[in-house]
Amino acid sequence: MELDYAFMVRTFGILLQAIPVTLKLTAVTLVLATPFAFLLALARIYTVPYVAKFASVYVSVMRGIPMVLQILLVYSLLPSLLNYLFKRAGIAYNIFDLDTIWYAYIIFTLGEIAVLSEVFRSALGSVGDGQIEAGLSVGMNRRTIYRRILIPQALVTAMPSLCNVTVTLLKNTSLAFMMAVQDITATGKIAASYGYNYVEAYLDVFLVYIIVCSLVQIAFRISEKHLGRFRHASQTSG
């Protein structure tokens, strides 16, 4: 079998134009999931009644359900449920006109909340309780202690895990094509469908994901080194 290199060159350029959609899916999901994940992590650390139990069950359930199944369930049921609720409430809006990327945001965010909460719980747990006591002893409140002492240190510890989570999420967004989102994978499938050049298209998709994921990992390494120097400088000055 001979590869159509001219097609691969053309398709590679088209796939590059779809990168912003994939990055947007990744970035928006992380922004939406982070605050909820952080709160669930705190609830489990401090064993907040009911909330800690809910967080534990939520994390177990979401991490135990394959992403493909989450997409099939939510994307199949949520539009119909919202349409029913809107009609009951007298809201004249056709939910089926909603951009499908919003369903992708919802599905990926629900999954990332569970993953990130475990990352934050582990990172915050790595910071000794003695630092909280020291902060309280000098008159700092817990919010200030977390903002100025615990979170910066926990962030340095969490950077490798956050990098893995981000890269994994970026790759998982390839499943957004199941919701008709024009990401890298969907663009490759569409380009291949005209002449059935699926092998060439998937090779292009493979190369684009390798490039994007590598750049993300490099960015995290640079950030990790910067935060590490900042932490070292803070400890030295302290």
Side-chain angles (χ1 to χ4, degrees):
M1 181 187 67
E2 294 186 6
L3 297 177
D4 187 342
Y5 294 105
F7 171 84
M8 290 184 67
V9 172
R10 292 194 306 271
T11 304
F12 188 81
I14 296 173
L15 293 179
L16 293 179
Q17 299 175 24
I19 290 177
V21 176
T22 294
L23 294 179
K24 183 180 178 181
L25 274 171
T26 304
V28 172
T29 297
L30 291 174
V31 169
L32 293 176
T34 295
F36 294 103
F38 186 74
L39 292 176
L40 290 185
L42 290 179
R44 297 187 68 183
I45 290 173
Y46 292 104
T47 320
V48 179
Y50 303 109
V51 182
K53 184 63 176 178
F54 166 79
S56 179
V57 173
Y58 179 84
V59 170
S60 297
V61 171
M62 294 305 297
R63 295 183 70 182
I65 302 177
M67 182 61 69
V68 173
L69 183 56
Q70 294 180 38
I71 292 173
L72 292 175
L73 289 174
V74 175
Y75 189 57
S76 299
L77 298 177
L78 187 58
S80 299
L81 176 60
L82 291 176
N83 184 57
Y84 170 77
L85 294 176
F86 282 2
K87 287 184 176 180
R88 293 275 297 187
I91 301 175
Y93 178 76
N94 185 4
I95 192 64
F96 298 104
D97 290 336
L98 182 66
D99 191 337
T100 54
I101 198 171
W102 286 101
Y103 298 111
Y105 290 149
I106 293 172
I107 293 168
F108 292 134
T109 298
L110 291 175
E112 288 307 301
I113 289 174
V115 176
L116 286 174
S117 69
E118 288 295 276
V119 172
F120 294 150
R121 186 167 72 98
S122 176
L124 290 171
S126 66
V127 182
D129 293 335
Q131 300 197 42
I132 298 179
E133 297 175 0
L136 292 174
S137 66
V138 297
M140 299 172 66
N141 57 46
R142 286 188 177 272
R143 179 179 299 180
T144 303
I145 293 171
Y146 266 89
R147 180 171 57 86
R148 299 185 61 180
I149 300 176
L150 295 189
I151 292 179
Q153 294 185 55
L155 184 60
V156 176
T157 303
M159 284 301 286
S161 297
L162 288 176
C163 178
N164 292 334
V165 168
T166 302
V167 171
T168 301
L169 172 61
L170 195 151
K171 292 185 293 185
N172 284 341
T173 59
S174 62
L175 297 173
F177 82 91
M178 299 174 63
M179 295 170 279
V181 176
Q182 300 297 313
D183 71 324
I184 296 172
T185 303
T187 302
K189 287 175 66 68
I190 293 172
S193 64
Y194 295 107
Y196 297 97
N197 300 98
Y198 287 100
V199 174
E200 292 91 338
Y202 290 149
L203 285 174
D204 277 339
V205 171
F206 168 80
L207 291 174
V208 171
Y209 273 110
I210 287 293
I211 293 171
V212 174
C213 289
S214 297
L215 291 175
V216 170
Q217 292 179 72
I218 291 172
F220 267 96
R221 290 194 190 102
I222 294 173
S223 300
E224 185 177 355
K225 290 180 180 179
H226 176 74
L227 289 173
R229 288 196 297 267
F230 174 78
R231 178 181 179 183
H232 177 72
S234 299
Q235 292 176 340
T236 303
S237 61

